Amino acid sequence: MNDIKEKIEELRKTLKYHSDRYYNDDAPEIEDYQYDMMMRELIKLEEKYPEFDEPDSPTKRVGGKADNSFENVVHTVRMESLQDAFSKDEIREFEKRVLDVVNKPKYCVEPKIDGLSVSLEYENGVFVRGSTRGDGNVGEDVSGNIKVIRNVPLKLNKNIPYIEVRGEVYMPKKSFDKVVDRQLLNDEKPFKNPRNAAAGSLRQKDSKVTATRGLDIFIFNVQRVDGVTLTSHKQSLDFLKELGFNTVPNYTLVDNIDSAIAEIDKIGESRGDLEFDIDGAVIKVDDFEMRKALGSTAKFPKWAVAFKYPPEEKQTKLVDIEIAVGRTGVLTPTAVLEPVHLAGTTVSRATLHNQDFINEKGIAVGDVVTVRKAGDIIPEVLCVNEHNSDKIYEFPKYCPSCNSEVVRENDEAAIRCINPDCPAQLLRNLIHFCSRDAMDIEGLGPAILETFVNCNLIEKTEDIYSLTYDKIDSAQLEGFKEKSINNIIISIEKSKENDLGKLIFALGIRHIGAKAGKLLSDHFRDIDSIINANVDDILAIDGYGDIMAESVVEFFKLQKTVDLIKSLKSNGVNMFSKTEVNDTRFSGMTFVLTGTLPTLKRAEAGKIIESFGGKTSSSVSKKTTYVLAGDEAGSKLDKANSLGIKVIDENEFMEMIK
């Protein structure tokens, strides 16, 4: 029995981890199908061994939890999850359970949109609040971001005293492709699929960012309504249409389960033709009185079931391998395939990651390989089915863009071109330099930067600050009117006042992200001190290791860097830290913030800590001074206790800053 208990505990731990990665971090590490199969195994074990029941088991919880970056919203009507079915037999078992309670039910069948579930509330026909599902009971207030979604009506067609509806925010495939293209150009880690892209976009702290992501919404349920009587699901969807909502498409009312299964098959066949992602189809008992009789479990309504489509895999021939050069010089391989129809679309390219992945799979040009769409979106090569060559593919020894010799440094999977003048890296460097977390130059997006590079307005990074109205205007570029040119010039001028930390990140130093750039800036206070620092000086910064420190020192030794900094200085770009330190009571201290604080947001607490000379970290280690913990602190609190790190709550923290 100990083995069974250990297996159950391990499954719970694994599922909680992956649920957190999926719902709260928008960064899943496994496919939905793998997660679903683990959940299925845990459900069976818990049913067979009830003595190992646990109230907090993933089988009894809905979705994620509220993120304390936003205000919490307590749902008056619980936003439940759905029970999954993976076969037609399981759908028929669902029907048997329904027929044990009610007679002659009708079913409404609709596609299961793969996005982020939200609640929208209206008073007297006017939008008042939008919130995420969270754990089903408590979600996040994301009203500002909901408002910028094009199909969210801010005023309904009828003056309803109060109505709360549930919908799914999603990212259309075309929008997803554009976002990923921008991320790849900027050498950022791309979203894995539209669902995670939608979730990440809806949780942006700046609604202007959300507005650029092309999100959309389908409404599929009435949660509460005053002043109107609704008796069935189809009637409620028809009513929602009248109010002006973009309802879930292709919903169909059927008389029996066989017709419902036929609709599921029909929806499945059309998946590839849709402009949005679905991960299944939902069968719902139509009559609301019957739903009341059927009720719910701790997690699922008993009147609905979600059929999940299995991931599709196909074999095809790998006809070539192409190499692209990224912003940091990393060479990335892409498989060119004989076109194959997969998950509703034609696939002709797939990721191969790096040389280690190719070696592990034994991949060679000419092989027959199995391809799958990860998350139904990004094609990947799973394995080799038939080798047509004994020679595994090897990366070129010279950069395909500039013909410089490429290198592979110790302990790195990446092979890179280290020529700082490599033309393939210029555009990506520029995009990174102008991005929001870097110099934040509005108007200089990827498309415009590419145009400026192609017409020789920009040949190196520092040329950005030599742009003038006359230079851009004289290039006679289509679509560049007086106002748009002036806006670009104003944004460039504004960027000169940025904090030094943003400039450090914008320079694109290997291993130095936005937070590391700020640490460097706040520690040394000006660019010249950073340039003159040695490795030991930089290692004095908590959060810096040998690789990061060496990378900074080597970067500022480069003649190209010297020339760039000199040019930026002459153009008036700020070279000093603007972080204000009230006093140094937290100097040398590192805080880790976790859980939901009663009144402070974690970002607010972090700013307070930094204003007193302290630092914040995302992970607990022996270097941690304090862990500031709120409700649902989780694994970071456990680690702090195991290491003997002092844990404080918000009241103690407020005493410390008096």
Side-chain angles (χ1 to χ4, degrees), residues 23-85:
Y23 286 105
N24 301 321
D25 297 337
D26 306 317
E29 295 178 2
I30 61 173
E31 299 302 319
D32 289 355
Y33 187 75
Q34 293 172 269
Y35 182 90
D36 291 338
M37 291 301 101
M38 282 193 288
M39 181 67 80
R40 176 63 59 87
E41 183 180 4
L42 178 58
I43 290 170
K44 288 181 178 178
L45 286 172
E46 287 182 344
E47 288 174 349
K48 190 173 181 180
Y49 301 98
E51 61 269 34
F52 299 133
D53 185 50
E54 180 184 292
D56 198 39
S57 171
T59 61
K60 297 178 176 66
R61 294 178 67 84
V62 176
K65 60 184 179 183
D67 186 323
N68 67 359
S69 298
F70 300 92
E71 295 296 325
N72 285 354
V73 175
V74 178
H75 300 306
T76 54
V77 177
R78 190 164 187 260
M79 296 178 73
E80 296 176 306
S81 184
L82 290 173
Q83 185 173 9
D84 292 331

Side-chain angles (χ1 to χ4, degrees), residues 199-217:
S201 300
L202 193 62
R203 290 187 174 119
Q204 290 290 322
K205 293 179 182 178
D206 186 349
S207 60
K208 291 179 182 177
V209 178
T210 305
T212 67
R213 298 286 176 84
L215 297 179
D216 211 329
I217 191 169

Side-chain angles (χ1 to χ4, degrees), residues 308-329:
K308 302 293 281 287
Y309 298 113
E312 188 179 3
E313 299 175 1
K314 289 284 183 68
Q315 290 186 19
T316 187
K317 186 177 181 180
L318 194 159
V319 296
D320 196 8
I321 294 177
E322 294 180 352
I323 300 292
V325 184
R327 180 180 64 81
T328 58

Side-chain angles (χ1 to χ4, degrees), residues 243 374 413 452 455 539 542 576 613:
L243 293 181
F452 284 5
C455 67
L539 284 173
D542 186 19
F576 296 89

Side-chain angles (χ1 to χ4, degrees), residues 509-513 516 538 543-553:
I509 307 169
R510 283 181 59 203
H511 310 298
I512 306 302
I538 297 172
Y544 268 74
D546 291 338
I547 293 175
M548 294 170 69
E550 289 167 4
S551 183
V552 171
V553 171

